[in-house]
Amino acid sequence: MITSEKVMHPILAIDDQFERIMNIRQKGAETNIDYITRLVKEVEEYERLGGYYEESLKAAMDEAKRDFLAEQSTAMTAEQEEEELRVQEKIQREQVEAMFILKRVDKKRYGNLLIELHNSYLLGKDYYPKTAADVLRLLNNYKQQEWSGNRPPDGARQTSERPGGGNNANARNLSKSFLLSSGEEVCFCRGTNNSFFPHIICHLCELKGHYQSHCPIRLDPEGTIKISKTQTNKR
């Protein structure tokens, strides 16, 4: 099973899962046991994703200890470890705040920015801001573009080319490449199953790197799954 944190930033995956739990409601014909089982399953997934925080903090502490040992030729004392832990916890907390703020920005103004950051992450480049101050700086300096679709992306959901084209030039360009805020153009995108085939061109988004069955950009601006030209011709 491909988990959400494989195709999006772990902090965003955790936040998405929390929102999913908050939005769960018992269905009219759903039995009590089925409803409870469904909810408990989502809570367990949230707890599993939440392990990212502990693992991330442990990795940061291990790296800090190695660096200290390399520079000082001696291990950290207990007091130094406690101080370093407080520093790393502050760094992690600031990153969580930054991600939560960024996810909830106005999609009409910054929807394209979220797409650029997400697709960079799929390519192994984490350009997400680390602090609230970084988010503010990014938003204030980002060249705002009117979002081209009716349902901008949230987390891993993204829009692509509008069927029929029309005068939607921005959507057509995004379907073939992405221009990052750093000025770097992205023409490749990893599949939702974490696969990467540099010579394969997806028939849905027209980016290289994945098959259409694992396209991470397969929704049109209305949120409908796109149909490839090949599938349309078969009808």
Side-chain angles (χ1 to χ4, degrees):
M1 181 180 71
I2 303 300
T3 53
S4 56
E5 72 273 20
K6 295 296 184 181
V7 294
M8 64 192 302
H9 195 286
I11 294 177
L12 292 179
I14 294 170
D15 190 41
D16 273 3
Q17 184 62 20
F18 178 76
E19 289 186 345
R20 186 176 294 112
I21 293 172
M22 292 298 98
N23 291 327
I24 287 179
R25 299 291 184 274
Q26 185 174 17
K27 301 174 183 177
E30 189 174 28
T31 65
N32 292 332
I33 186 63
D34 287 344
Y35 163 63
I36 293 173
T37 300
R38 181 165 61 92
L39 183 57
V40 168
K41 183 178 180 180
E42 295 295 345
V43 172
E44 291 175 348
E45 174 65 8
Y46 177 77
E47 292 175 344
R48 184 190 69 78
L49 292 172
Y52 161 80
Y53 292 125
E54 294 181 5
E55 294 173 2
S56 176
L57 186 61
K58 182 179 183 303
M61 282 297 297
D62 290 343
E63 183 178 1
K65 290 177 183 178
R66 288 194 299 269
D67 291 344
F68 185 90
L69 181 60
E71 294 176 5
Q72 305 296 328
S73 299
T74 184
M76 286 184 178
T77 64
E79 292 77 11
Q80 289 171 327
E81 284 193 22
E82 289 181 4
E83 177 61 26
E84 183 63 31
L85 180 60
R86 285 193 289 270
V87 170
Q88 294 300 332
E89 286 177 338
K90 182 175 183 293
I91 292 174
Q92 186 180 80
R93 183 172 61 254
E94 289 179 341
Q95 184 180 19
V96 171
E97 291 173 352
M99 298 296 282
F100 283 8
I101 294 170
L102 185 65
K103 181 183 174 183
R104 291 163 176 82
V105 296
D106 181 8
K107 303 303 188 299
K108 273 188 167 289
R109 286 182 286 169
Y110 303 111
N112 291 329
L113 171 62
L114 298 183
I115 284 182
E116 293 168 5
L117 292 171
H118 176 67
N119 279 281
S120 296
Y121 185 80
L122 290 177
L123 294 171
K125 299 177 181 179
D126 188 353
Y127 293 131
Y128 283 107
K130 306 301 182 185
T131 67
D134 290 341
V135 176
L136 180 61
R137 189 179 306 112
L138 177 62
L139 298 180
N140 285 343
N141 290 281
Y142 181 71
K143 185 177 180 181
Q144 298 178 8
Q145 303 176 36
E146 186 73 11
W147 175 246
S148 54
N150 296 327
R151 297 185 60 180
D154 202 359
R157 296 188 62 179
Q158 304 170 55
T159 62
S160 185
E161 181 181 358
R162 181 190 296 273
N167 58 1
N168 194 348
N170 288 337
R172 288 197 298 274
N173 290 336
L174 282 172
S175 70
K176 297 180 181 178
S177 66
F178 296 91
L179 189 62
L180 305 181
S181 54
S182 62
E184 180 181 359
E185 186 177 21
V186 175
C187 298
F188 297 85
C189 192
R190 188 176 295 276
T192 55
N193 62 346
N194 208 34
S195 62
F196 185 65
F197 304 99
H199 301 298
I200 296 299
I201 299 178
C202 174
H203 296 300
L204 291 179
C205 68
E206 299 182 12
L207 289 176
K208 293 182 178 180
H210 60 272
Y211 290 95
Q212 69 179 44
S213 58
H214 295 118
C215 179
I217 319 169
R218 62 186 307 177
L219 299 179
D220 67 16
E222 277 67 44
T224 304
I225 295 179
K226 287 188 60 179
I227 300 177
S228 68
K229 296 178 181 178
T230 303
Q231 290 173 309
T232 302
N233 293 334
K234 288 181 179 179
R235 292 188 172 185

